[in-house]
Amino acid sequence: TVYQRVLAILNKEQRGYLPPVEFNLFANQAQQEIFHSYFSLRNIVDTNSSDYSDIRSNVEEKISLFENEALIEKASFANTSGVTTQQYYPYPSNFYHLVSVIYPDDYRAEEVSAKHVTYVKRSKYTKPNSKSPIYVRHEGGLVAIPDPNNGTETTEPSITINYVRTPSEVEWDYTMVNSKPLYNANNSTDFELHSSELTELVLKICQYAG
């Protein structure tokens, strides 16, 4: 639908034909741009709006389409010399934004910055334990303190993260019929944005097309 509307607008303005390969590039750029904008729009709070026109509520509804839960298992991180320096829990490949970290038995971990973790661990009042755990962000995931395994089990339990994932890459696939691309729905990947973004997608792709 988006591609047909883009082509109709380009033909009306005599801007030429947009090949599927270029459309896919523009489509993914437009989808990512709209998706990233949600997180800045989410900070807008309009207390005078009704439920239907509340900007924050509407944006959170759109973000909720990408909320995921995943069990992640521990991995090892090696430095440039190939020496294992620490173990951490890696983010899923489609990770975008961390919402919460849950330990076994449903204990929620609190985030602590790397520069403050030493002080937190030393204090008898804030020292983390299995019922009051903490985590520190790692470049590829997070470091859990204390480790859920605690060195007492042969198999390491996973931790659960709630997170916002990135949209899947758009693909308008086709087969050539009489030298013209014919849409192939079986191998195509649709947009994952909220249906209300249809017009915005068309406009942004037209902008990228010049």
Side-chain angles (χ1 to χ4, degrees), residues 2-182:
V2 174
Y3 192 23
Q4 289 173 346
R5 293 190 183 185
V6 169
L7 290 180
I9 293 172
L10 295 179
N11 290 334
K12 178 179 180 295
E13 299 294 332
Q14 298 181 344
R15 301 268 179 155
Y17 174 70
L18 184 66
V21 174
E22 291 186 19
F23 170 78
N24 287 335
L25 291 173
F26 297 156
N28 281 292
Q29 181 65 26
Q31 178 170 251
Q32 288 295 328
E33 186 177 339
I34 294 172
F35 173 74
H36 293 320
S37 72
Y38 292 158
F39 296 88
S40 56
L41 288 173
R42 186 176 177 274
N43 294 325
I44 298 176
V45 180
D46 188 353
T47 56
N48 295 321
S49 296
S50 66
D51 290 342
Y52 294 108
S53 60
D54 187 317
I55 296 175
R56 183 184 178 93
S57 176
N58 291 338
V59 170
E60 287 184 342
E61 179 183 347
K62 294 175 182 180
I63 294 176
S64 69
L65 299 175
F66 301 95
E67 291 179 351
N68 264 18
E69 182 179 275
L71 286 170
I72 53 177
E73 297 181 354
K74 197 160 55 177
S76 296
F77 174 73
N79 60 21
T80 54
S81 301
V83 178
T84 299
T85 56
Q86 65 179 146
Q87 293 183 316
Y88 71 105
Y89 290 84
Y91 295 133
S93 58
N94 61 354
F95 175 87
Y96 179 76
H97 176 75
L98 185 63
V99 177
S100 63
V101 177
I102 310 298
Y103 262 54
D105 298 325
D106 293 331
Y107 289 107
R108 180 166 178 157
E110 297 295 329
E111 181 179 2
V112 174
S113 66
K115 67 179 181 179
H116 290 144
V117 67
T118 301
Y119 303 108
V120 173
K121 291 167 66 177
R122 285 180 176 177
S123 171
K124 65 179 181 179
Y125 300 107
T126 61
K127 186 176 181 178
N129 55 57
S130 60
K131 294 183 179 181
S132 183
I134 63 173
Y135 68 91
V136 180
R137 290 181 187 262
H138 179 276
E139 61 180 340
L142 53 93
V143 177
I145 304 171
D147 191 291
N149 184 20
N150 286 329
T152 59
E153 300 179 14
T154 55
T155 58
E156 298 169 352
S158 302
I159 61 175
T160 301
I161 64 168
N162 295 300
Y163 69 102
V164 177
R165 65 175 178 83
T166 55
S168 299
E169 190 165 307
V170 177
E171 175 81 24
W172 193 91
D173 193 61
Y174 62 94
T175 54
M176 297 301 294
V177 178
N178 296 328
S179 301
K180 293 184 179 181
L182 182 66

